């Protein structure tokens, strides 16, 4: 679970071990801010899950989804199961959580280089007291 790995360095190590392992098939998808604003964060997350599945180099026989919602296109494709709090109870979901978190953190570092005034490298896009004017 990415939340249980407390240092960025360790998350990067786990990410590298997962993404370079020959038996791990993975993909990450990113949804743009306009899609999030046009729908909502949950719908955008479900869309990203669908996009990530479609981008895999093979068609999975079974899909575990973290949470209680199933992405719309996955419902049409085949076998799946939602796992509430899956990132803390299922190795595959926890691994996906690490890949997603590191992918997002790397993107925030890129944004920080482009827009240093927003301090993305520090807060990684999560709300902070600084955002609230405190």
């Amino acid at each position: 679970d990415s939340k249980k790995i407390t240092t960025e360095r360790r998350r990067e190590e786990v990410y590298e071990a997962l993404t370079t392992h020959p038996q791990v098939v993975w993909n990450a998808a990113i949804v743009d801010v306009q899609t999030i604003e046009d729908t909502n964060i949950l719908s955008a997350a479900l869309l990203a899950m669908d996009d990530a599945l479609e981008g895999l180099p093979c068609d999975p026989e079974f899909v575990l989804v973290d949470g209680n919602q199933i992405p719309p296109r996955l419902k049409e494709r085949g076998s799946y199961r939602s796992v509430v709090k899956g990132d803390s109870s299922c190795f595959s979901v926890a691994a996906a959580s690490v890949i997603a978190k590191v992918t997002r953190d790397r993107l925030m570092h890129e944004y920080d280089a482009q827009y240093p005034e927003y301090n993305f490298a520090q807060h990684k896009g999560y709300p902070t007291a600084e955002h609230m004017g405190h």
Side-chain angles (χ1 to χ4, degrees), residues 31 36 40-50 71:
V31 177
I36 296 168
N40 58 52
I41 192 67
L42 175 59
S43 295
L46 294 171
L47 174 63
M49 287 181 217
D50 269 333

Side-chain angles (χ1 to χ4, degrees), residues 27-76:
N27 188 34
I30 298 170
V31 177
D32 62 52
V33 69
Q34 192 61 54
T35 300
I36 296 168
E37 289 180 359
D38 289 348
T39 60
N40 58 52
I41 192 67
L42 175 59
S43 295
L46 294 171
L47 174 63
M49 287 181 217
D50 269 333
D51 289 351
L53 281 168
E54 287 192 8
L56 288 172
C58 61
D59 199 19
E61 293 177 27
F62 191 83
V63 178
L64 295 169
V65 178
D66 190 22
N68 63 0
Q69 302 283 322
I70 299 296
R73 289 177 286 184
L74 176 57
K75 289 179 184 177
E76 302 166 4

Side-chain angles (χ1 to χ4, degrees), residues 35-130:
T35 300
I36 296 168
E37 289 180 359
D38 289 348
T39 60
N40 58 52
I41 192 67
L42 175 59
S43 295
L46 294 171
L47 174 63
M49 287 181 217
D50 269 333
D51 289 351
L53 281 168
E54 287 192 8
L56 288 172
C58 61
D59 199 19
E61 293 177 27
F62 191 83
V63 178
L64 295 169
V65 178
D66 190 22
N68 63 0
Q69 302 283 322
I70 299 296
R73 289 177 286 184
L74 176 57
K75 289 179 184 177
E76 302 166 4
R77 290 178 63 157
S79 299
Y80 57 83
R81 186 174 115 204
S82 62
V83 184
V84 175
K85 299 191 185 292
D87 56 349
S88 63
S89 64
C90 174
F91 181 78
S92 297
V93 175
S97 169
V98 171
I99 291 171
K101 170 79 170 131
V102 171
T103 299
R104 184 182 199 287
D105 288 355
R106 288 178 174 186
L107 184 61
M108 290 296 106
H109 281 289
E110 289 177 25
Y111 288 160
D112 189 68
Q114 291 176 0
Y115 311 104
E117 66 273 19
Y118 293 107
N119 205 15
F120 288 121
Q122 181 182 356
H123 61 71
K124 312 254 183 350
Y126 294 104
T128 65
E130 180 182 357

